[in-house]
Amino acid sequence: MARRHRLLRFSVAIGVVLFVASIATRVRHVAPPQPDPAVPQAQLNPIEARIVELINTARMQAGAAPLALSDRLTLAARAHAQDMAEHGYVAHDSADGDTPVDRARAAGLDYDEIAENLLSDPGHDLDSLPQRALTTWLASPTSRINLLAPQFRTTAVAIAHAADGSYYVTLDLMR
């Protein structure tokens, strides 16, 4: 009987050790979530990053939450800014007729509301472009409403340089 008890305790001890080892192995293999590899991370250049910073400051002063950057939306905004720069127009509908809604859907985004502010700038001083963009958008009633609307939580900004030296800016806002 004593031998049987020792064998039972030994078996339970081995079972506990194996159980703990299997949990430790699983915990070691849990990796932090990674970005979707199909969506490259949108790297803002310093001028684009400054625009987002100025917008978030204006939003906080108006009592609205700061906006988070969306990689997918940034890719859509970049494509539109580049299209405007290549074709020399400023419009929400592209030269091919796609709209901000079309571009967001093509980027794989699901949203409740989307708005877009645009800017064409002669490009005399790139360093002051962020402040000029903010000033222009705040001076336009529709652009101001878009920029400061508390329902928007996500943003994207893109700047494209045209052959004539001008800059085209697309700012998308989404919830």
Side-chain angles (χ1 to χ4, degrees):
M1 189 66 146
R3 185 170 181 230
R4 205 177 209 183
H5 268 289
R6 278 186 290 173
L7 187 57
L8 180 61
R9 280 189 293 194
F10 182 70
S11 296
V12 168
I14 288 179
V16 168
V17 168
L18 290 175
F19 177 74
V20 170
S22 74
I23 288 177
T25 301
R26 286 189 183 140
V27 169
R28 207 174 311 130
H29 286 82
V30 174
Q34 298 296 315
D36 183 350
V39 180
Q41 291 244 268
Q43 298 295 318
L44 296 184
N45 68 44
I47 303 300
E48 292 166 337
R50 180 70 179 137
I51 290 173
V52 172
E53 181 182 311
L54 289 172
I55 289 168
N56 279 336
T57 298
R59 286 177 60 83
M60 289 187 297
Q61 290 172 348
L67 299 164
L69 187 64
S70 165
D71 290 335
R72 287 181 188 262
L73 193 58
T74 298
L75 295 173
R78 282 224 169 98
H80 187 57
Q82 190 61 44
D83 188 59
M84 290 191 304
E86 287 174 6
H87 295 99
Y89 72 93
V90 178
H92 299 291
D93 293 357
S94 76
D96 293 333
D98 66 335
T99 67
V101 168
D102 298 326
R103 292 188 291 276
R105 285 187 182 141
L109 293 167
D110 188 25
Y111 60 91
D112 292 323
E113 184 177 3
I114 192 164
E116 187 172 69
N117 288 355
L118 303 173
L119 177 74
S120 173
D121 185 84
H124 301 301
D125 179 17
L126 183 59
D127 290 335
S128 63
L129 176 62
Q131 187 59 56
R132 285 194 311 277
L134 181 68
T135 300
T136 300
W137 290 331
L138 289 174
S140 162
T142 302
S143 294
R144 180 184 184 84
I145 288 169
N146 290 343
L147 197 71
L148 301 178
Q151 72 267 22
F152 292 122
R153 299 287 184 207
T154 306
T155 193
V157 66
I159 301 170
H161 192 215
D164 67 0
S166 61
Y167 291 94
Y168 290 80
V169 183
T170 298
L171 173 73
D172 288 326
L173 303 133
M174 186 176 71
R175 73 173 175 104

